[in-house]
């Protein structure tokens, strides 16, 4: 009921899904099919989410209206596998099921990405369904039933793999989990063949050139200036490398200019060699990869430090900007893109449901569609709800406006509870259900921040698991007491 109520309030004052900077790349497939009868999905956005946009775009009212409704419904449905996880993971589940599911039902970062045209919603919800499917099959004592229930894990995991390239960082944890539960003695050839096929299909998801750019952005301050590899390119960026290397402990806070430069060297004529290479994506990607690998090989621990600093900087719920829930946020951001003509007219028509033959409406009409009830009480309620998570969801102590190096960060009381839950999840009683996913999610987070900038969105995948880990310490006490007092003969 809470999940339905929050989403209904959001849809009341903001009936259209948010059109962000990444939305147009997910709409490329639909735009090509509808306007040019051209079927192509770019490497960066393969496969399922762009495909999903096509049937939603064929419904009356525009893509943004149906994306908001579909993803809100998915968010409500995901309450059920989350509750199943609580029921199957804890001995005192009846104590935790209401508070934990309430926290999850109103999680602001999930609530927002359900309301944006971006693949994160399907990715995050898929993780919860995959964990629940995993618990369903590993908790069986009958092999045939376990094999049947295994597909409840495989299908949502496949959705993740075929939606986001970053799922690659979950594979090591998933394979380790299969070893932990002795899956070779349970699963049959069909399950192993499906896993192998999914792994191979996952290799086709993602853009290699973008990966190279992100990897070198992360390792940029570690660039070896004393080697002969691409010496002419290095000499041009020497001062920038030395500047970033001097502040390595806070690189995640000052990497914006490096990020922009490596993404679009054509905009930086002060680096002529890089500027000249901007039109050759393959050569530029090769340059990034070679410089990045040399830098990482020379200082692997420093590279890991950069990732952990980014991870820590994204961990607190306060890092997620709850101002997005303001009723004028979408209007303001879309107006900026409108004024600068960032979005193609054909995509805007599809997104807002404007027929081909009709003239594009004036800006005022779009504003009324985006925010039909400005200064709404519903908006203030949602903002108040989301804001309450900022302080309560603090895991690490980070003084406002102060830079804190990694070694000086300290957990809050909630951070200590989660750390204890993480440790206890590795004990035999919790390991098959929660421990294996703690390892998998930990590997995923480190991997993502090795090649991605600091962003609360990349950390969000772990929140459902973290909410579960909050209950592990007390549940462990209950489990110990009941085993001691009521152990059967």
């Amino acid at each position: 009921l809470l999940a339905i109520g929050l989403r209904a309030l959001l849809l009341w004052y903001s009936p259209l899904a948010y059109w962000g900077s990444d939305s147009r790349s997910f709409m490329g497939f639909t735009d090509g099919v509808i306007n040019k009868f051209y079927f192509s999905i770019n490497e960066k956005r393969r496969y399922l989410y762009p495909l999903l946009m096509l049937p939603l775009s064929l419904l009356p009212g525009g893509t943004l209206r149906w994306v908001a409704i579909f993803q809100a419904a998915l968010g409500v449905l995901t309450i059920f596998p989350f509750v199943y996880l609580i029921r199957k993971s804890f001995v005192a589940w009846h104590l935790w099921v209401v508070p934990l599911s309430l926290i999850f039902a109103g999680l602001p970062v999930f609530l927002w990405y359900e309301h944006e045209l971006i693949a994160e919603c399907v990715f995050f919800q898929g993780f919860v369904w995959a964990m629940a499917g995993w618990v369903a099959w590993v908790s069986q004592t009958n092999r045939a039933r376990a094999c049947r229930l295994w597909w409840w894990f495989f299908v949502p995991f496949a959705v993740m793999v075929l939606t986001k390239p970053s799922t690659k960082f979950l594979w090591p944890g998933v394979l380790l989990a299969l070893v932990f539960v002795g899956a070779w003695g349970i699963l049959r050839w069909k399950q192993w063949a499906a896993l192998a096929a999914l792994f191979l299909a996952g290799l086709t998801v993602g853009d290699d050139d973008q990966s190279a750019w992100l990897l070198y952005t992360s390792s940029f301050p570690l660039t070896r200036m004393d080697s002969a590899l691409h010496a002419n390119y290095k000499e041009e960026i020497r001062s920038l490398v030395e500047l970033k290397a001097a502040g390595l402990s806070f690189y995640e806070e000052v990497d914006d200019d490096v990020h922009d430069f490596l993404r679009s060297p054509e905009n930086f004529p002060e680096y002529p060699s890089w500027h000249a290479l901007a039109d050759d994506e393959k050569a530029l990607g090769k340059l990034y990869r070679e410089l990045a690998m040399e830098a990482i090989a020379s200082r692997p621990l420093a590279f890991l430090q950069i990732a952990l600093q980014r991870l820590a900087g994204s961990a607190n719920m306060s890092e997620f900007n709850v101002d997005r829930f303001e009723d004028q946020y979408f209007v303001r951001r879309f107006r900026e893109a409108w004024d600068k003509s960032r979005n193609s007219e054909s995509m805007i028509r599809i997104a807002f449901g404007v027929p081909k033959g009709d003239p594009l409406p004036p800006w005022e009409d779009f504003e009324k569609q985006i925010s039909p009830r400005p200064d709404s009480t519903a908006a203030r309620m949602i903002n108040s709800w989301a804001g309450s998570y900022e302080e309560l969801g603090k895991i690490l102590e980070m003084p406002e406006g102060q830079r804190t190096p990694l070694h000086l960060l300290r957990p809050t009381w909630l951070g200590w509870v989660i750390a204890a839950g993480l440790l206890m999840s590795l004990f035999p009683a919790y390991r098959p259900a929660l421990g294996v996913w703690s390892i998998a999610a930990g590997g995923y987070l480190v991997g993502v921040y090795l090649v991605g900038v600091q962003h609360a969105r990349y950390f969000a995948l772990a929140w459902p698991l973290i909410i579960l880990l909050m209950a592990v310490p007390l549940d462990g006490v209950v489990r110990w007491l009941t085993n001691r007092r009521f152990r059967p003969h």
Side-chain angles (χ1 to χ4, degrees):
L1 290 175
L2 175 68
I4 292 170
L6 289 172
R7 286 152 181 82
L9 287 173
L10 183 56
L11 289 171
W12 171 255
Y13 73 86
S14 182
L16 304 183
Y18 175 68
W19 180 277
S21 56
D22 288 336
S23 298
R24 58 180 177 269
S25 60
F26 287 109
M27 282 292 289
F29 173 75
T30 297
D31 185 37
V33 172
I34 292 178
N35 292 305
K36 305 171 186 175
F37 203 65
Y38 176 69
F39 295 79
S40 177
I41 302 178
N42 66 58
E43 294 175 332
K44 182 180 177 182
R45 300 307 186 195
R46 289 173 179 164
Y47 286 98
L48 298 185
Y49 198 76
L51 290 172
L52 173 65
M53 292 304 103
L54 180 58
L56 292 181
S57 299
L58 297 177
L59 297 173
T63 316
L64 297 182
R65 188 174 302 278
W66 290 104
V67 165
I69 295 171
F70 172 80
Q71 294 184 170
L74 181 59
V76 172
L77 287 175
T78 306
I79 299 293
F80 292 96
F82 187 78
V83 170
Y84 179 81
L85 280 166
I86 299 171
R87 174 66 181 87
K88 299 294 286 186
S89 302
F90 300 117
V91 66
W93 64 270
H94 52 286
L95 298 178
W96 323 125
V97 65
V98 173
L100 294 186
S101 55
L102 285 175
I103 295 170
F104 176 74
L107 199 62
V109 65
F110 272 42
L111 189 62
W112 172 258
Y113 286 111
E114 290 170 22
H115 201 67
E116 182 173 348
L117 198 160
I118 194 171
E120 261 62 15
C121 168
V122 174
F123 185 58
F124 295 157
Q125 312 295 355
F127 184 62
V128 179
W129 285 88
M131 285 196 296
W134 176 274
V135 172
W137 82 270
V138 299
S139 61
Q140 302 304 312
T141 54
N142 180 276
R143 179 183 180 184
R145 182 169 173 78
C147 287
R148 289 196 301 270
L149 290 176
W150 180 85
W151 297 104
W152 283 91
F153 153 72
F154 177 80
V155 171
F157 183 62
V159 169
M160 296 177 68
V161 171
L162 300 177
T163 298
K164 292 280 288 182
S166 57
T167 313
K168 291 181 175 73
F169 296 117
L170 275 175
W171 272 109
V174 168
L175 296 177
L176 189 61
L178 291 169
V179 173
F180 272 140
V181 299
W184 59 86
I186 304 170
L187 301 181
R188 297 186 169 95
W189 70 268
K190 292 180 181 179
Q191 285 80 18
W192 292 112
L195 269 179
L198 180 62
F199 180 79
L200 294 175
L203 296 178
T204 68
V205 178
D207 187 338
D208 290 341
D209 293 332
Q210 186 190 33
S211 300
W213 153 52
L214 290 172
L215 185 65
Y216 189 43
T217 299
S218 296
S219 56
F220 185 83
L222 310 179
T223 302
R224 282 192 59 185
M225 302 304 299
D226 58 346
S227 74
L229 181 67
H230 302 300
N232 56 320
Y233 290 97
K234 290 178 180 177
E235 193 57 38
E236 289 183 6
I237 59 171
R238 177 181 291 275
S239 59
L240 185 58
V241 170
E242 291 175 349
L243 176 65
K244 301 305 177 184
L248 189 62
S249 297
F250 311 106
Y251 176 59
E252 78 289 344
E253 298 181 22
V254 294
D255 63 354
D256 288 349
D257 52 347
V258 174
H259 179 274
D260 295 342
F261 159 56
L262 295 179
R263 183 176 189 174
S264 305
E266 65 273 13
N267 297 330
F268 294 83
E270 59 269 34
Y271 306 114
S273 298
W274 299 78
H275 185 271
L277 200 61
D279 293 333
D280 190 342
E281 291 187 3
K282 295 299 180 185
L284 194 62
K286 182 174 181 292
L287 174 65
Y288 290 165
R289 276 189 293 272
E290 291 178 354
L291 290 178
M293 296 310 295
E294 181 191 48
I296 295 167
S298 64
R299 298 181 64 187
L301 292 181
F303 185 55
L304 180 61
Q305 176 193 338
I306 291 172
L308 295 178
Q309 190 79 33
R310 287 172 169 173
L311 195 163
S314 306
N316 289 340
M317 283 193 183
S318 57
E319 296 302 314
F320 173 71
N321 179 20
V322 297
D323 292 345
R324 304 164 195 244
F325 292 107
E326 292 178 358
D327 54 359
Q328 292 299 301
Y329 177 81
F330 187 0
V331 172
R332 187 168 61 252
R333 296 298 298 272
F334 192 72
R335 183 59 192 260
E336 293 172 4
W338 178 276
D339 290 341
K340 296 178 181 178
S341 301
R342 290 178 182 168
N343 301 308
S344 69
E345 181 179 320
S346 60
M347 283 191 186
I348 295 301
R349 287 181 178 277
I350 297 170
F352 286 88
V354 181
K356 275 186 179 182
D358 294 354
L360 210 60
W363 163 253
E364 291 73 19
D365 287 4
F366 283 108
E367 186 173 357
K368 288 178 183 178
Q369 287 188 58
I370 294 169
S371 182
R373 299 173 182 87
D375 197 27
S376 168
T377 301
R380 290 192 291 272
M381 292 173 66
I382 291 290
N383 271 278
S384 177
W385 173 269
S388 66
Y389 277 74
E390 287 194 328
E391 187 62 32
L392 296 175
K394 185 182 289 187
I395 296 176
L396 297 171
E397 290 289 355
M398 291 185 179
E400 188 70 26
Q402 297 183 27
R403 294 178 174 180
T404 307
L406 192 62
H407 67 280
L408 293 180
L409 292 176
R410 295 293 180 268
T412 62
W413 67 269
L414 178 62
W416 284 116
V417 170
I418 294 169
L422 176 62
L423 179 63
M424 291 179 64
S425 74
L426 303 178
F427 292 179
Y430 297 103
R431 188 169 59 211
L434 298 179
V436 293
W437 287 105
S438 297
I439 295 171
Y444 165 84
L445 290 176
V446 173
V448 165
Y449 287 109
L450 284 173
V451 297
V453 297
Q454 180 174 310
H455 202 300
R457 186 174 83 193
Y458 304 144
F459 189 87
L461 181 87
W463 276 113
L465 179 61
I466 289 173
I467 293 171
L468 294 171
L469 292 178
M470 288 163 53
V472 171
L474 285 177
D475 191 75
V477 172
V478 174
R479 185 184 292 270
W480 179 76
L481 290 174
T482 53
N483 281 349
R484 288 287 296 273
R485 293 178 181 176
F486 305 110
R487 182 178 298 151
H489 293 294

